[in-house]
Amino acid sequence: WDCGFGFIWDRVEMKGAVWSIGLLLLLLSVSLGAAQKSSSSKLESRVSQMLEWNKRNSVIKLSSEKFNTYVKSKPRNYSVVAMLTALKPQRECSVCQDANDEYVILANSYHYSNAYSSRLFFVMVDIDEDGYEIFQWLRLTTAPTYYHFPAAGKRKPEDKFDVGRVGYQADALSKWVSERTGIQITIMRPPNYTMLTLWAVVVITVLVFAYWRRENLSIVYNSQNWAFLAILVILYMISGQMWNHIRGPPIAHRNPHTGDVGYFSGTSQYQFIAETYIVMGLYGAITIGVILMNKELSLPFIEGTVQKGYYSRTSLKGPSI
């Protein structure tokens, strides 16, 4: 009897343990379901809010608090491209406004394209508009700076855009965004009516001048005029003006610690606009010097030797004896 009672009691205890484990698993699954539902609800709320902001502006301005909530917080099923900048005049950031204009062009090109979705958002954090905490978190001392915050996983070194090497033009940013997110963005720039008007004035002026001098167009056939124009084009190209147009560097650099202004870059991979004009001036001075020496020294000897009838290679040094 004792053995039978003990066996029954053991089975009761076993059933009780099984029920306890089952109840515990049920409570755990309910708890996990509620947590997932809460997490999913928060994610939907964040996406909805980002889309609402994006309806009003293609670039969403975030404070440090909002950045922590909508960019740093997980889970997140959307990528974020952030520009960290300093647009206040007292910062004297000569390049920040130009970079901001290019960034807006990039964001608008994405916002009004077929590629637009809730997978990617463009945001901006200004250090003077409650963004100092984010600058400290990223250990930034310069602006503008661009980061990509992926939807999943940790940031990689490639998620920081290399402004110093590539520049801040919208086309370069678009290529970088495509590499990091897989989303192709075709840049659509607004019409530049200023340049269009300038070119119209130049064309009209040339046509009016040609009509006025239609009886005598010797200026068009003057080889010296064409030589002067060719020299200007060459000086423009070799001084780095086309690089400026593509990369968009600042005019000069102000040291944030000493306040000194630098006109020359310390690396061969970068340059400032002022530096290219100085180089153009030096090349132009050398060119003018060579032309003047040629006229003052070479031509008299050439003319004299040709008149005497014995022009040769050595005649540039004077008549032979």
Side-chain angles (χ1 to χ4, degrees), residues 59-62 67 82-89 91-104 123-136 138 140-147 163 168:
V59 177
I60 304 172
K61 295 183 179 180
L62 297 179
F67 189 92
M83 180 179 74
L84 297 105
T85 185
L87 294 174
K88 295 294 182 180
R91 292 288 179 179
E92 297 182 351
C93 180
S94 59
V95 73
C96 287
Q97 186 57 56
D98 292 338
N100 180 68
D101 294 340
E102 290 293 317
Y103 190 64
V104 170
V123 307
M124 182 182 71
V125 177
D126 194 313
I127 188 173
D128 296 309
E129 295 183 6
D130 194 19
Y132 183 71
E133 179 185 333
I134 305 303
F135 272 74
Q136 282 189 318
L138 294 171
L140 294 178
T141 57
T142 59
T145 304
Y146 304 87
Y147 277 97
V163 179
Y168 54 79

Side-chain angles (χ1 to χ4, degrees), residues 7-295:
F7 175 74
I8 294 173
W9 181 251
D10 289 342
R11 295 194 61 183
V12 170
E13 285 185 341
M14 185 178 296
K15 288 184 178 180
V18 171
W19 278 103
S20 298
I21 294 173
L23 181 61
L24 181 61
L25 291 175
L26 178 63
L27 293 175
L28 183 61
S29 63
V30 171
S31 177
L32 289 175
Q36 290 179 352
K37 186 176 180 180
S38 176
S39 176
S40 176
S41 177
K42 288 181 180 180
L43 178 58
E44 291 178 2
S45 176
R46 287 202 294 267
V47 172
S48 177
Q49 182 61 69
M50 293 289 282
L51 289 172
E52 182 64 28
W53 285 333
N54 215 197
K55 288 180 181 179
R56 297 194 290 266
N57 293 289
S58 57
V59 177
I60 304 172
K61 295 183 179 180
L62 297 179
S63 62
S64 294
E65 181 181 356
K66 291 180 179 178
F67 189 92
N68 291 331
T69 302
Y70 294 94
V71 179
K72 290 179 63 177
S73 297
K74 296 288 185 176
R76 179 164 43 82
N77 62 356
Y78 54 87
S79 297
V80 176
V81 173
M83 180 179 74
L84 297 105
T85 185
L87 294 174
K88 295 294 182 180
Q90 60 266 25
R91 292 288 179 179
E92 297 182 351
C93 180
S94 59
V95 73
C96 287
Q97 186 57 56
D98 292 338
N100 180 68
D101 294 340
E102 290 293 317
Y103 190 64
V104 170
I105 290 174
L106 171 67
N108 284 337
S109 300
Y110 169 68
H111 189 74
Y112 298 106
S113 70
N114 295 329
Y116 176 75
S117 69
S118 61
R119 291 173 51 203
L120 175 65
F121 294 100
F122 289 88
V123 307
M124 182 182 71
V125 177
D126 194 313
I127 188 173
D128 296 309
E129 295 183 6
D130 194 19
Y132 183 71
E133 179 185 333
I134 305 303
F135 272 74
Q136 282 189 318
W137 173 59
L138 294 171
R139 299 179 181 178
L140 294 178
T141 57
T142 59
T145 304
Y146 304 87
Y147 277 97
H148 167 245
F149 296 90
K154 295 182 179 180
R155 281 186 294 113
K156 300 178 180 179
E158 295 81 8
D159 287 317
K160 182 179 180 181
F161 183 66
D162 192 349
V163 179
R165 184 178 62 86
V166 185
Y168 54 79
Q169 296 294 318
D171 300 272
L173 286 167
S174 173
K175 182 179 179 182
W176 171 68
V177 170
S178 174
E179 292 173 352
R180 303 316 304 157
T181 65
I183 299 175
Q184 301 286 340
I185 302 176
T186 302
I187 299 301
M188 297 178 291
R189 294 184 179 275
N192 190 341
Y193 296 107
T194 302
M195 289 300 298
L196 182 62
T197 303
L198 180 60
W199 276 108
V201 170
V202 170
V203 171
I204 292 173
T205 302
V206 171
L207 292 176
V208 169
F209 180 78
Y211 178 79
W212 180 53
R213 295 291 301 272
R214 64 185 183 277
E215 301 297 336
N216 182 12
L217 293 177
S218 59
I219 187 174
V220 178
Y221 303 104
N222 191 320
S223 60
Q224 291 187 355
N225 293 336
W226 288 105
F228 178 73
L229 180 61
I231 289 174
L232 288 181
V233 173
I234 292 171
L235 290 176
Y236 181 88
M237 292 299 179
I238 65 176
S239 62
Q241 303 303 320
M242 187 57 68
W243 192 94
N244 291 343
H245 179 72
I246 296 173
R247 301 293 179 87
I251 296 176
H253 173 70
R254 181 183 294 276
N255 191 310
H257 303 292
T258 63
D260 296 335
V261 178
Y263 299 101
F264 294 90
S265 173
T267 173
S268 61
Q269 303 297 323
Y270 198 71
Q271 64 185 14
F272 300 120
I273 293 178
E275 177 182 353
T276 60
Y277 283 112
I278 293 172
V279 171
M280 180 189 288
L282 293 175
Y283 283 148
I286 294 172
T287 304
I288 293 173
V290 171
I291 293 173
L292 292 177
M293 286 192 299
N294 180 66
K295 285 187 175 182

Side-chain angles (χ1 to χ4, degrees), residues 288-320:
I288 293 173
V290 171
I291 293 173
L292 292 177
M293 286 192 299
N294 180 66
K295 285 187 175 182
E296 293 296 328
L297 299 177
S298 300
L299 291 179
F301 295 125
I302 293 175
E303 292 174 358
T305 52
V306 169
Q307 290 175 0
K308 291 180 179 180
Y310 54 90
Y311 173 75
S312 66
R313 291 176 180 269
T314 60
S315 62
L316 291 177
K317 299 180 181 179
S320 59

